């Protein structure tokens, strides 16, 4: 069980209704505290992961007409006495898809779609480290670059935005992803042009063609990333998986372009595009299966449209890539 505290500040007239909502959702504890202004109350609800999303949705519906309310979700590191969990609840939690609310996921994912100095710096550093590792044929260096590559965020943000029908988040994710990839490719191209390094290592040449194994890897990476986020599992290693699919081909494309080997640069860029398609398609499918959707019914209709359209676009692009691979492999 992952207990959290939901704090609501609202008008005093909502207190009894909020307590009733907490009781209906089998909250672990609930307290109502008056606020000094005498017109509002602080309702503090201790809840497990079971019905947290339905609880938050019910509170939003109740307070939709209130103009001065706020809901805050606070993590709980520990509580005494210990919360005892029966076998039925434990079994239900194991089969439950989501362990975090839509609002918690949004707060985490939206941060990955922000272009700032740290994001660009990490992109440059990780790409240069990966480029050097590829040139000297050192797998350990390439893996080290993947650990610091911030490439998971914008891809998850785009898929999550599509699931919610959030055009703004999708736009920010696209801009962040394009900025990161542009900086990565340009950095490696400049490095290759200025240093004249050799570009015939096995690690580099392996990224100049697209195979079916690359597609499977990218699909698995995107699915694992979305699944780890929605189930509360650590995403650090999954971020490395996504970097495996994106960082090396981006670095290879830049290095080959900087070394005037444009045919191989285009092949690496093709691998990069195919991997991006697979990562986003898989993540979007997982978010849909996990039941990620907006709160209001009219927003859900828009979200379904954006999800279907973007998934179809990704699927068509992937099918085209697979068809192209089959032609070149014959």
């Amino acid at each position: 069980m992952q207990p959290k505290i939901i704090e609501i500040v609202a008008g005093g007239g909502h207190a009894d209704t909020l307590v009733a909502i907490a009781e209906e959702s089998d909250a672990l504890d609930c307290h109502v505290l008056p606020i000094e202004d005498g017109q509002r109350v602080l309702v503090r609800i201790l809840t497990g992961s079971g019905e947290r999303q339905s609880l938050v949705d019910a509170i939003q519906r109740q307070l939709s007409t209130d103009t001065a309310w706020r809901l805050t979700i606070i993590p709980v590191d520990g509580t005494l006495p210990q919360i005892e969990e029966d076998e039925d609840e434990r079994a239900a939690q194991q089969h439950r898809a989501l362990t975090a609310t839509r609002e918690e996921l949004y707060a985490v994912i939206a941060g990955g779609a922000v272009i700032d100095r740290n994001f660009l710096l990490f992109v440059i550093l990780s790409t240069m480290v990966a480029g050097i590792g590829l040139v000297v044929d050192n797998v350990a260096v390439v893996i080290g670059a993947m650990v610091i590559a911030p490439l998971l965020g914008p891809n998850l943000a785009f898929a999550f935005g599509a699931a919610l029908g959030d055009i703004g988040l999708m736009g920010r994710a696209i801009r962040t992803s394009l900025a990161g990839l542009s900086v990565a490719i340009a950095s490696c191209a400049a490095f290759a042009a200025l240093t004249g390094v050799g570009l015939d290592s096995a690690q580099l040449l392996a990224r100049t063609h697209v195979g079916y194994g690359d597609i499977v890897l990218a699909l698995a990476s995107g699915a694992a990333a979305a699944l780890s986020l929605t189930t509360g599992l650590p995403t650090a290693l999954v971020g490395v998986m996504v970097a495996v699919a994106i960082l090396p081909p981006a670095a290879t494309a830049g290095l080959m372009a900087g070394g005037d080997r444009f045919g191989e640069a285009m092949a690496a860029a093709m691998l990069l595009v195919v991997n991006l398609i697979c990562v986003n398609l898989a993540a979007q499918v997982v978010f849909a299966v996990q039941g990620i959707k907006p709160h209001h019914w009219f927003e859900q209709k828009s979200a379904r449209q954006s999800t279907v359209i973007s998934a179809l676009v990704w699927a068509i692009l992937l099918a085209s890539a697979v068809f192209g691979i089959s032609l070149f492999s014959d």
Side-chain angles (χ1 to χ4, degrees):
M1 177 179 290
Q2 297 176 324
K4 293 191 178 181
I5 293 174
I6 297 178
E7 283 192 352
I8 309 103
V9 175
H14 295 289
D16 292 339
T17 304
L18 293 175
V19 172
I21 291 173
E23 292 174 350
E24 291 174 2
S25 300
D26 296 325
L28 301 173
D29 204 352
C30 181
H31 295 283
V32 179
L33 305 173
I35 295 180
E36 293 180 355
D37 60 14
Q39 299 178 349
R40 297 179 300 163
V41 293
L42 171 65
V43 181
R44 180 172 294 163
I45 304 172
L46 179 63
T47 176
S49 58
E51 302 299 329
R52 191 182 303 144
Q53 184 65 74
S54 61
L55 172 62
V56 171
D57 289 345
I59 292 171
Q60 288 188 71
R61 288 192 295 270
Q62 171 62 29
L63 300 178
S64 59
T65 58
D66 196 328
T67 58
W69 69 278
R70 180 168 297 280
L71 183 149
T72 305
I73 301 175
I74 305 172
V76 175
D77 294 327
T79 179
L80 291 175
Q82 296 291 338
I83 299 172
E84 295 186 3
E85 188 177 13
D86 58 31
E87 293 297 328
D88 292 338
E89 172 60 22
R90 188 177 294 109
Q93 184 174 347
Q94 290 176 349
H95 291 87
R96 190 173 295 127
L98 295 176
T99 59
T101 63
R102 173 182 55 248
E103 290 73 18
E104 292 173 88
L105 292 175
Y106 193 98
V108 173
I109 293 175
V114 176
I115 305 174
D116 57 17
R117 182 177 60 183
N118 289 334
F119 174 82
L120 296 176
L121 185 59
F122 272 115
V123 168
I124 294 172
L125 292 175
S126 61
T127 308
M128 295 305 297
V129 172
I132 294 172
L134 292 169
V135 168
V136 300
D137 214 6
N138 191 320
V139 178
V141 174
V142 178
I143 294 174
M146 296 170 189
V147 174
I148 61 174
L151 302 175
L152 175 62
N155 288 281
L156 280 182
F158 182 86
F160 193 74
L164 294 180
D166 190 332
I167 304 301
L169 179 59
M170 294 171 67
R172 293 196 300 274
I174 291 175
R175 289 194 297 271
T176 302
S177 183
L178 290 176
L181 292 174
S182 299
V183 169
I185 293 172
S187 299
C188 279
F191 173 74
L194 293 174
T195 60
V197 293
L199 301 175
D200 295 310
S201 69
Q203 289 292 322
L204 271 175
L205 296 178
R207 270 80 182 189
T208 57
H209 68 274
V210 186
Y212 294 113
D214 299 304
I215 293 177
V216 174
L217 171 64
L219 287 171
S221 299
L227 190 61
S228 67
L229 192 68
T230 57
T231 56
L233 297 176
T235 58
L237 293 179
V238 181
V240 175
M241 287 181 62
V242 173
V244 169
I246 299 176
L247 184 61
T252 301
L255 289 169
M256 291 299 185
D260 294 332
R261 297 169 62 166
F262 296 106
E264 290 163 309
M266 290 298 295
M270 180 63 183
L271 174 60
L272 173 62
V273 170
V274 169
N275 286 351
L276 287 171
I277 292 170
C278 293
V279 167
N280 280 276
L281 175 61
Q284 193 168 310
V285 170
V286 169
F287 281 140
V289 172
Q290 294 287 77
I292 300 295
K293 57 185 178 181
H295 170 57
H296 298 290
W297 65 268
F298 53 87
E299 293 175 337
Q300 293 176 10
K301 182 177 179 181
S302 174
R304 282 194 297 269
Q305 292 176 346
S306 67
T307 299
V308 170
I309 292 173
S310 57
L312 282 175
V313 171
W314 290 128
I316 291 171
L317 290 173
L318 179 58
S320 302
V322 171
F323 179 71
I325 294 172
S326 64
L327 289 180
F328 285 108
S329 60
D330 291 338

